[in-house]
Amino acid sequence: MILKYTYRTLITFSTQVSSHTFMLRCTPYANEYQRLIEHKTSVIPNCLLTRSNDTFGSILETGYVADMHDAFMFESTGIIEIGNNRSIEKVNPLFHYHSELTTPDMAIRDAARLIGMDMSVTEWVMRLSDYLQGHFQYESGATNVKTTASEAFSLGKGVCQDYAHIAIAMCREVGIAARYVNGFMIGEGATHAWIEYHDGERWLGFDPTNNRPVDDTYIKIAHGRDFNDCSINRGRFNGIAEQNIKVTLMVEQLKKLPKEQTKQIKNQ
């Protein structure tokens, strides 16, 4: 499937700030499953962006705004082809170990054991997701980016980030390698979070919030141990200011590539 996306974040500050250093993860992950056909990142105030990769292969773009400003906007646009090819890949042992936001308490450990283990890894993950649908409720504002899996599970409510953290904690508890994924879904809204689990041969995506396998309507941006490894935007600035953040996202399917992109691919 060919998807076109526009993602924009506008941050307004209550007073002017300066010496603003930032790090963005807003470019789709590039591998055999996702092919970047076109991509552009722009920021206001305008500044030089430096591209690199983090420890897990996600694309980072960093920059610095020296002058005083009371707003900061970054936008990521592009066209990406989502395929079905997921190659055999060894597991980084890191994804077997609990992390800061996914360390389970006794309640999560007990819930993981209730599911049982006499089944395939994929079936276990599906049953885990079914369990969460009956024991966890989606509620915006109930948690924040620092909420741990155990805290969210105790509350019994949260957002996609919490579904992912709890699912990862339960997977790792029974020996299934799992990692956190940040990205986009087709339609309008904001960023979304899901998990990837290793079935013994390859990494497969599952969305516990929506209780469904990840397909070609999802765009992966980054993966890591938990949210802390995958945040879209992190920054530091001089000044004391409150921040107001507005996020917009549009992902739509293209039936075919625009002519200019088709010509470029033929010439490669």
Side-chain angles (χ1 to χ4, degrees):
M1 182 178 290
I2 299 172
L3 299 175
K4 179 180 179 181
Y5 69 92
T6 300
Y7 172 80
R8 182 184 297 116
T9 292
L10 172 64
I11 304 172
T12 53
F13 302 99
S14 57
T15 60
Q16 288 197 328
V17 301
S18 63
S19 301
H20 185 175
T21 302
F22 60 88
M23 178 181 70
L24 307 177
R25 286 186 185 87
C26 56
T27 301
Y29 201 94
N31 56 17
E32 77 284 352
Y33 180 68
Q34 292 193 160
R35 185 168 67 92
L36 281 171
I37 297 171
E38 176 183 296
H39 170 71
K40 180 181 179 182
T41 301
S42 55
V43 297
I44 298 175
N46 185 46
C47 67
L48 176 67
L49 292 177
T50 302
R51 178 178 287 197
S52 61
N53 293 91
D54 68 14
T55 303
F56 304 105
S58 306
I59 298 172
L60 295 177
E61 289 171 296
T62 56
Y64 175 72
V65 180
D67 296 336
M68 301 290 290
H69 56 284
D70 58 11
F72 175 69
M73 188 276 289
F74 64 92
E75 181 180 76
S76 176
T77 60
I79 298 173
I80 186 167
E81 183 177 30
I82 311 294
N84 296 311
N85 182 30
R86 290 184 178 271
S87 59
I88 294 175
E89 183 182 349
K90 291 183 178 179
V91 178
N92 182 335
L94 195 63
F95 296 117
H96 276 293
Y97 295 101
H98 299 303
S99 59
E100 180 181 358
L101 296 177
T102 64
T103 299
D105 59 7
M106 189 57 67
I108 289 179
R109 291 190 175 100
D110 289 343
R113 295 189 184 101
L114 280 175
I115 297 172
M117 282 304 297
D118 188 20
M119 64 196 79
S120 70
V121 172
T122 294
E123 185 179 357
W124 194 93
V125 172
M126 293 174 65
R127 289 194 183 184
L128 155 65
S129 185
D130 287 340
Y131 176 87
L132 286 179
Q133 296 303 307
H135 294 80
F136 199 76
Q137 180 181 351
Y138 189 96
E139 184 175 317
S140 180
T143 58
N144 58 56
V145 296
K146 295 182 180 180
T147 303
T148 67
S150 295
E151 290 168 342
F153 193 69
S154 177
L155 283 172
K157 54 189 176 182
V159 294
C160 58
Q161 171 186 306
D162 305 300
Y163 277 87
H165 282 156
I166 294 168
I168 290 168
M170 293 175 71
C171 283
R172 291 174 182 167
E173 181 61 23
V174 299
I176 299 172
R179 61 194 187 188
Y180 184 98
V181 181
N182 201 6
F184 308 145
M185 283 183 68
I186 196 168
E188 297 183 62
T191 57
H192 189 51
W194 59 92
I195 73 167
E196 287 180 339
Y197 65 94
H198 201 274
D199 70 349
E201 289 190 340
R202 54 184 57 82
W203 289 100
L204 301 173
F206 199 92
D207 180 357
T209 306
N210 293 301
N211 198 23
R212 55 176 285 196
V214 169
D215 57 20
D216 57 4
T217 62
Y218 291 70
I219 298 175
K220 176 179 175 177
I221 299 296
H223 71 246
R225 294 163 297 180
D226 56 32
F227 170 84
N228 287 334
D229 293 329
C230 304
S231 58
I232 295 284
N233 171 42
R234 284 190 175 175
R236 180 176 297 177
F237 52 81
N238 285 344
I240 301 175
E242 295 182 356
Q243 301 177 54
N244 181 61
I245 302 175
K246 181 180 180 181
V247 176
T248 56
L249 171 68
M250 169 63 78
V251 180
E252 57 185 324
Q253 180 183 1
L254 296 182
K255 296 195 183 286
K256 60 181 180 179
L257 288 173
K259 291 182 179 179
E260 57 270 25
Q261 277 79 28
T262 303
K263 290 179 181 178
Q264 290 175 9
I265 291 173
K266 287 182 178 179
N267 292 331
Q268 287 178 358

